[in-house]
Amino acid sequence: MTKLIIANWKSNHNLQSAKDWATSVEGYLDSFRVNARVILAPPFSFLAGLRRIADRTLIELAVQNLSHQTAGSYTGEVCSQNLEGLGVKFAIVGHSERRRLFGETDEQVAQKVVLAINAGIRPILCLDEPYLQSQIQKVKAHFLENQINLEEQEMIFAYEPISAIGSGQNESAEKVSQVARVIKEAYGARCLVVYGGSVNAENISDYLAVADGVLVGGASLQADSFIKLLSVLYK
Ligand code: PGA
């Protein structure tokens, strides 16, 4: 199965370095057949600048967050309508940094999932064990309320243990496999589960063996180190 390799830049880069990264990764993907879907989640401000690159290459665009509100008077928020025309296919929602630093709740994250789906954007819902069950229940309740059929959704979940993020303390593949099973039991076999937390070129293969892909922060920032990750999927 084609694996998902998701680059989460968080609040890093400027437009020029973002374009340079995309040109390097594009060059690699042009030259080598890689059995992966490469998804880049840059800061919102680079989306328009990267649009052309995403249009003509295999790099697909995601956002790192989405407002839990629809369009309106919400200064500083970016809602699904604001993304129209930018070629955004995926939205990371409920990242632990958003929950921890910006007070996002299970309720708001469930609202974001629904708004993304209604806008034709595929959510990548980040989960960790402390809120795995409560978040799953909240999303199910919102699906019911909004008449969204769970079975028809190809949800993507990112299992991201907080202790593993940016720490070098990557979770064991056994644990990832166990949590992926729990998520698939709750959401049906159609959903995809990726792992995130200190993924690098040395450990990526362990996760690709037990999950549908990886969500990469630190090791995605420089084109060289990201290409090293991709080279594992060279066929
Ligand atoms: P990391 O970040 O790869 O730097 O640990 C992952 C994430 O926060 O999504």
Side-chain angles (χ1 to χ4, degrees):
M1 200 206 112
T2 304
K3 300 290 183 182
L4 303 178
I5 310 293
I6 307 164
N8 176 15
W9 280 356
K10 311 188 181 185
S11 294
N12 292 292
H13 279 294
N14 60 35
L15 183 56
Q16 189 53 54
S17 63
K19 285 183 173 172
D20 292 346
W21 184 100
T23 304
S24 300
V25 172
E26 176 187 13
Y28 178 80
L29 293 172
D30 273 350
S31 314
F32 298 94
R33 287 175 61 80
V34 173
N35 192 19
R37 276 182 90 169
V38 178
I39 300 168
L40 170 63
F44 288 121
S45 51
F46 309 152
L47 287 171
L50 292 173
R51 166 82 215 246
R52 220 166 42 84
I53 291 163
D55 269 351
R56 60 191 164 86
T57 68
L58 295 168
I59 303 171
E60 300 178 272
L61 284 180
V63 285
Q64 300 172 14
N65 182 29
L66 189 68
S67 177
H68 65 286
Q69 307 281 5
T70 49
S73 300
Y74 304 106
T75 302
E77 286 290 272
V78 176
C79 72
S80 56
Q81 191 186 323
N82 306 145
L83 299 174
E84 284 170 16
L86 289 167
V88 172
K89 294 197 196 155
F90 302 88
I92 297 174
V93 292
H95 191 283
S96 62
E97 285 156 13
R98 300 236 31 106
R99 296 176 192 260
R100 192 164 49 84
L101 304 171
F102 302 99
E104 266 183 25
T105 62
D106 287 347
E107 174 68 22
Q108 290 171 335
V109 173
Q111 288 169 346
K112 291 172 189 223
V113 168
V114 169
L115 288 170
I117 289 173
N118 287 342
I121 294 172
R122 207 166 158 192
I124 300 168
L125 173 53
C126 299
L127 295 171
D128 187 14
E129 281 178 309
Y131 44 82
L132 193 139
Q133 290 302 340
S134 59
Q135 184 66 82
I136 285 176
Q137 291 319 318
K138 266 277 182 264
V139 169
K140 281 187 170 175
H142 278 254
F143 276 13
L144 210 60
E145 219 172 90
N146 290 277
Q147 295 168 350
I148 296 173
N149 186 344
L150 184 67
E151 301 300 316
E152 287 170 7
Q153 298 308 315
E154 293 184 322
M155 294 279 295
I156 301 168
F157 296 93
Y159 170 45
E160 296 220 313
I162 293 175
S163 59
I165 294 178
S167 64
Q169 310 289 311
N170 51 304
E171 187 53 88
S172 72
E174 291 73 28
K175 177 75 181 181
V176 173
S177 151
Q178 193 188 323
V179 174
R181 230 182 358 257
V182 171
I183 295 173
K184 289 196 181 204
E185 270 162 24
Y187 271 97
R190 277 187 79 179
C191 76
L192 302 178
V193 180
V194 304
Y195 166 73
S198 298
V199 172
N200 58 33
E202 280 71 52
N203 62 32
I204 185 173
S205 302
D206 298 345
Y207 300 112
L208 295 179
V210 296
D212 299 305
V214 288
L215 200 163
V216 191
S220 76
L221 288 181
Q222 302 309 320
D224 286 0
S225 73
F226 189 66
I227 286 169
K228 253 194 212 149
L229 294 179
L230 295 179
S231 65
V232 170
L233 287 137
Y234 172 56
K235 53 180 183 189

